[in-house]
Every structure is written in C-alpha cells, then in structure tokens.
Amino acid sequence: MIAMVTGASSGFGEAISRALVAAGHRVIGTGRRAERLAGLADELGESFLPLVFDVQDKAATRAALDGLPSGWSEVDLLVNNAGLALGLAPAHQSELEDWEQMIATNISGLTLVTRLLLPGMVARNRGHVINIGSIAGTYPYPGGNVYGATKAFVKQFSLNLRADLAGTAVRVTNVEPGLCGGTEFSNVRFHGDDAKAASVYQGVQAISPQDIANTVLWIGEQPAHVNINSIEIMPVAQTFGPLHISRG
C-alpha cells in the first residue's frame, strides 16, 4: 500500500508515518519543514518519500502531486492530517488572521489534496481517505469557534464523500481525537507560549500521537468491504458535561 500523510513533519503525521512504514507500507510524507521530513526519511529509509509543500499553496500542492515518481503515484491511502488551531479567545476578540489560516489549512488544504487524489482512486476502484477531524467538530466549547467549525466541515465532508462514492470500493473515515498530548498542537494554538501549552495537559494522562497512529493503521488495514465511517477517541480523563477533564 502507498499512503500519503499530510502534516508528516511532527505530531500525528510523524507517528502515523512511522506506524505505516513499520507495518510494511510505503509512505509519502508531506509538510512545510524540509529538514524535519529529511530527518524522518533518514530514519525510515526507502519506504518513506518526503514531499515538501504547504497545503495552503494551491500551485505548489498541484505541482508536488503531479510530480510524484511513477512508482509512488498511485496513492491507496490519503491521511489528511495537516491542520491547526490558533487562539482560544471568544469570537469577538479573536484574530481574523487566525480564523483565515485555520480555514485555509483545515478546510481548503484538505479539500484540495482530496480532490487531486480522489479521481485516481475512483479510476482504480480502490483507495481510502482518512481525515483527521476532532471532537471539536461535534462538541462546542468556549474559544473553539472557527476551529470547531472547520472540524465540523471535515466531519460532514467525510460523510458526503461516502455518499458520492457509492458504488465504488473507495472508503472514507473521519478520525475524531479528543485531548491529545505530545504534539505541537497547543504550542501552535497559543503562538509559542510553552507554559500555557503545557498547562493544558497538566495532571492528565492524555491520548498520544501513537494512539492515533495505531487507530489509523487499524482502520487502513480493515478488509476491503469494511468502512469505518467515523471513530471518536478521548482519554479516560476527558468526558462530557461539557468535556470535563479530571485533573490529578
């Protein structure tokens, strides 16, 4: 199987790439940071192909995918992982630029890569799109405003893709993590404020990128007749009412 994992230079994408390669698959890892992808390529060897571009850049994305080597061009599994949250302020105090960047990456970038690879999957009558959504796409919380809205888009887009793909063997899944540590997510959200980012996970055994990677691998290796529509994953410490987190 040939997989493409967007946002492979850190966090979920890095862990997913490792898990897929360890299971015997080939992975095209995409991202903006060439040095991080090169380091992952050194670690994973010939089964990992680094591809440097920003999903927000339509021309660069098209050029990168059009330029895939012939032995890597038939992507069987697309993991749309590239995404981010910026800020946690209420809507009337949020930065418009933060909103625009979340929309550009979480929605526009995801749909662009999907649209470019999907025709090949349909033509070959095989393939799988796994979108990395979030519980924020289902459960609102203060400060989630546009981030949660982008993930609600991903949730509905995933379901609508399945509707459009009726009669084909192409599968679509939305993976919806809850509180997850060990990534740059909160550091990015709080614009590099390490202390504030660390406080999010203080006293909590959050889920990890490896947990998400294990889940993606399991979904991708299900029998061809099985489609996992969506899967929601939280740490035991997190639950509803609203999204209460028990701190130790």
Side-chain angles (χ1 to χ4, degrees):
M1 179 173 71
I2 298 174
M4 177 176 287
V5 180
T6 67
S9 60
S10 66
F12 291 172
E14 185 177 353
I16 291 166
S17 297
R18 285 195 178 102
L20 289 169
V21 169
H25 306 298
R26 291 194 290 159
V27 174
I28 304 162
T30 86
R32 296 171 298 162
R33 292 175 288 184
E35 70 286 353
R36 295 289 296 269
L37 292 177
L40 198 54
D42 288 341
E43 174 190 336
L44 298 179
E46 294 182 355
S47 293
F48 182 83
L49 176 69
L51 201 61
V52 181
F53 65 92
D54 185 344
V55 296
Q56 295 184 62
D57 186 331
K58 186 182 292 187
T61 301
R62 285 184 179 274
L65 299 194
D66 287 345
L68 282 171
S70 59
W72 291 85
S73 60
E74 295 189 358
V75 175
D76 302 297
L77 171 64
L78 168 61
V79 182
N80 277 317
N81 167 71
L84 76 167
L86 292 170
L88 200 59
H92 58 288
Q93 296 174 352
S94 297
E95 296 291 338
L96 181 60
E97 292 77 12
D98 286 350
W99 284 8
E100 291 171 339
Q101 189 174 351
M102 286 187 281
I103 292 167
T105 304
N106 301 0
I107 295 179
S108 298
L110 180 146
T111 54
L112 171 62
V113 177
T114 302
R115 181 60 182 82
L116 293 176
L117 292 183
L118 198 58
M121 292 183 180
V122 172
R124 295 185 294 273
N125 199 34
R126 72 174 192 272
H128 198 159
V129 177
I130 299 181
N131 293 322
I132 304 298
S134 169
I135 62 168
T138 302
Y139 311 108
Y141 60 86
N145 44 69
V146 167
Y147 174 70
T150 64
K151 294 303 185 176
F153 173 92
V154 173
K155 183 186 185 90
Q156 191 63 29
F157 181 57
S158 301
L159 295 173
N160 284 343
L161 280 177
R162 278 292 300 144
D164 284 346
L165 293 166
T168 78
V170 180
R171 301 183 287 178
V172 184
T173 303
N174 190 36
V175 177
E176 304 167 22
L179 186 71
C180 186
T183 76
E184 299 174 343
F185 179 84
S186 288
N187 189 275
V188 170
R189 166 168 256 173
F190 297 125
H191 299 280
D193 188 330
D194 294 336
K196 195 170 184 180
S199 71
V200 175
Y201 310 101
Q202 187 176 355
V204 179
Q205 185 175 355
I207 56 176
S208 70
Q210 189 60 52
D211 297 325
I212 301 305
N214 293 342
T215 303
V216 168
L217 178 62
W218 174 78
I219 292 168
E221 291 188 336
Q222 289 302 296
H225 70 283
V226 174
N227 190 87
I228 308 298
N229 295 329
S230 64
I231 187 165
E232 186 180 285
I233 310 162
M234 288 185 187
V236 173
Q238 185 178 40
T239 185
F240 313 98
L243 300 182
H244 175 75
I245 299 172
S246 303
R247 301 194 181 272

